[in-house]
Amino acid sequence: MLTGGEGALTVTVRMKVSPEPEYEKAVLDLLRRHRDALNYSVRTLIANRALSLTKAHKLLYKDLKERYGLPAIIAVGCYREAIAIARSWLKNPKRGAVPTAKALSMWLAYELGYRVKGDYIELARGYRLRVIGWDRRYDNYPNREARLVFRDGEFTLYVLKRVPRPAKYAPKGVLAVDVNERQIVVGNSSVEQRVETPVERALRYRRLAERLEEKYSSSRYMAWRRRRGIRRRVRHFRRKARNILEDWARKTSHMIISLAKQGQLAVAREDLTGLVESLRKLPKEHRTALIALGYRRLGYWMDWQAEKNGVPLFVVDPAGTSTTCPRCGAELVEVGYRRLRCPRCGLEADRDTIAVLNIERRALNQMGGTLASPTAPQVTDVSPNRWGEPP
Ligand SMILES: [Zn+2]
């Protein structure tokens, strides 16, 4: 998503669409044929080690059109996508089985693959889909390629647009973000807000999935049809867990970036790579896996929202942010549950407050700003869930 040249960003506009009744079956059929064609293309390209457009075209174009009945422009999109899948699979040293697409989705080139006509989207072959709703903020920017997806009984068109990258303002201060497995702490020397992570809620769904799998792994339940139903439910629970984290990451980052923009502050976050890596090395436990996923998604969304809103963002070294004194740099000692005290200057605070102050200081150093010795933190502990839950 964070692509585009120096001066531009590629944003995705989500459009809810619905095929006209007379085209619904045809559109679904096309998506299914496309999925089968894509899987066929990936296998063929890998078997022939053919990764160039010319080779792919020669190997596949005719089949995709004649055997799979894809319109010409969609056939081209299909083998292009197959090249990308084959390439990343071949590049992966730990590759397993050849990947198989299950979802119903396809790329559509603008103009030839799809067109916007008033309240309608017209696909190649004249299939019409009614546009139900979309984010109109980017209406003035030209459409580029789009992806049509059918999921849970609904059609969505994701349209890519190129928009100018907003200029970043000169920050008046720093809003630091500290993450730990229970919460996100956002603040600086004068404010502080805490947001709980939804890991426990997501974990419930992961456990449901787990329990189902265990229960039905015995041979008594091997009937094929039965297993298929169970597998679907297991997938549903897993997806639900992922969605909870994704939703939270998006909303939390939006809150952080808006807060920064309001105060014309830069956002500073720790480099989470090390943290995510170390979590990954732990024994495969659901909780750690979900925490790692949450961190990664939060990092991703914060960076993206900052770009989109022209908010300066700094990534700081996380080493020692919760063990050194933000005022004098001495090593802190623990004086209670998650409470730390500086033996040199006497500063005493909650571990997460300390981390936020250190992140703020590191970002100020990176900005080359002069750092006045921070005043004792004025902690405004609000209801932790104020921003944690969607409104
Ligand atoms: Zn100190």
Side-chain angles (χ1 to χ4, degrees):
M1 204 172 188
L2 242 181
T3 49
E6 265 299 290
L9 285 175
T10 303
V11 300
T12 308
V13 176
R14 186 162 166 254
M15 279 186 180
K16 271 176 93 169
V17 293
S18 164
E20 289 292 72
E22 64 265 42
Y23 296 120
E24 177 153 0
K25 196 179 165 297
V27 174
L28 270 174
D29 275 354
L30 177 58
L31 278 165
R32 290 202 184 98
R33 290 201 307 277
H34 176 275
R35 176 189 55 196
D36 298 342
L38 181 64
N39 287 328
Y40 165 74
S41 304
V42 170
R43 285 196 305 273
T44 308
L45 294 180
I46 287 174
N48 291 281
R49 295 291 190 273
L51 297 175
S52 73
L53 281 172
T54 331
K55 282 186 189 159
H57 187 88
K58 220 180 243 170
L59 274 168
L60 297 165
Y61 184 64
K62 201 159 164 263
D63 272 356
L64 297 186
K65 269 177 45 178
E66 289 170 8
R67 256 174 58 198
Y68 291 94
L70 301 186
I73 185 69
I74 288 173
V76 173
C78 181
Y79 69 63
R80 273 175 180 271
E81 189 176 351
I83 291 174
I85 296 171
R87 204 172 262 158
S88 75
W89 184 80
L90 287 168
K91 245 197 261 166
N92 182 359
K94 287 189 274 183
R95 60 183 172 245
V98 171
T100 310
K102 294 194 183 82
L104 292 179
S105 91
M106 64 186 174
W107 280 108
L108 300 165
Y110 185 58
E111 289 290 346
L112 291 170
Y114 80 101
R115 264 171 234 216
V116 185
K117 291 189 168 173
D119 288 344
Y120 288 90
I121 299 291
E122 198 176 283
L123 303 189
R125 286 219 180 124
Y127 302 154
R128 290 213 298 178
L129 298 100
R130 202 156 42 84
V131 178
I132 300 168
W134 76 95
D135 177 354
R136 292 174 171 266
R137 274 177 303 169
Y138 302 105
D139 274 9
N140 293 333
Y141 303 102
N143 293 326
R144 295 161 70 86
E145 59 193 330
R147 191 172 184 84
L148 180 66
V149 176
F150 179 74
R151 190 189 294 137
D152 300 331
E154 286 181 356
F155 290 87
T156 313
L157 189 71
Y158 297 89
V159 180
L160 301 189
K161 298 209 177 219
R162 236 163 133 76
V163 304
R165 189 183 292 267
K168 295 202 165 94
Y169 52 76
K172 291 179 180 153
V174 170
L175 190 66
V177 182
D178 172 60
V179 299
N180 65 60
E181 64 177 80
R182 292 168 307 120
Q183 57 184 16
I184 304 299
V185 186
V186 184
N188 52 35
S189 321
S190 48
V191 292
E192 192 180 293
Q193 294 273 18
R194 299 184 174 214
V195 185
E196 262 177 33
T197 68
V199 167
E200 293 307 319
R201 204 152 47 89
L203 200 53
R204 281 208 292 278
Y205 286 98
R206 278 298 277 264
R207 290 209 176 109
L208 279 175
E210 180 107 316
R211 225 169 291 150
L212 263 185
E213 276 175 327
E214 266 167 32
K215 194 166 163 195
Y216 293 100
S217 59
S218 95
S219 54
R220 281 194 301 142
Y221 293 97
M222 289 301 262
W224 177 81
R225 188 190 291 260
R226 187 107 203 217
R227 271 196 8 234
R228 201 170 128 165
I230 303 293
R231 271 210 306 271
R232 197 173 299 152
R233 272 171 68 203
V234 167
R235 260 210 307 278
H236 168 78
F237 287 143
R238 286 180 180 281
R239 197 199 290 162
K240 183 98 189 162
R242 272 199 310 274
N243 286 350
I244 287 174
L245 287 168
E246 181 74 11
D247 231 49
W248 167 84
R250 219 178 42 226
K251 284 181 176 129
T252 305
S253 66
H254 184 256
M255 172 279 283
I256 293 168
I257 298 301
S258 312
L259 203 62
K261 200 173 174 179
Q262 254 173 44
Q264 298 281 291
L265 304 171
V267 168
R269 69 168 177 89
E270 288 174 303
D271 182 354
L272 299 175
T273 332
L275 201 59
V276 170
E277 277 305 306
S278 65
L279 281 172
R280 220 182 244 161
K281 282 187 195 119
L282 288 173
K284 275 261 173 274
E285 207 237 304
H286 289 323
R287 184 190 304 269
T288 48
L290 289 174
I291 293 168
L293 178 65
Y295 286 170
R296 268 204 318 274
R297 298 312 294 163
L298 185 73
Y300 168 85
W301 281 112
M302 260 165 44
D303 295 357
W304 164 245
Q305 297 268 6
E307 279 300 332
K308 210 167 84 175
N309 288 285
V311 173
L313 184 133
F314 292 87
V315 178
V316 306
D317 179 7
T321 46
S322 53
T323 52
T324 50
C325 176
R327 196 188 287 167
C328 73
E331 180 114 353
L332 299 165
V333 288
E334 230 169 303
V335 289
Y337 177 67
R338 295 185 80 87
R339 260 200 105 66
L340 300 163
R341 191 168 188 281
C342 176
R344 197 190 292 162
C345 74
L347 176 97
E348 188 185 313
D350 172 76
R351 188 188 189 88
D352 304 319
T353 300
I354 298 278
V356 157
L357 294 176
N358 275 317
I359 294 168
E360 178 191 23
R361 192 161 90 145
R362 283 179 195 187
L364 286 170
N365 284 343
Q366 265 188 41
M367 287 159 61
T370 47
L371 177 69
S373 120
T375 49
Q378 294 146 14
V379 177
T380 16
D381 239 342
V382 293
S383 148
N385 241 348
R386 188 163 150 205
W387 290 320
E389 299 291 330

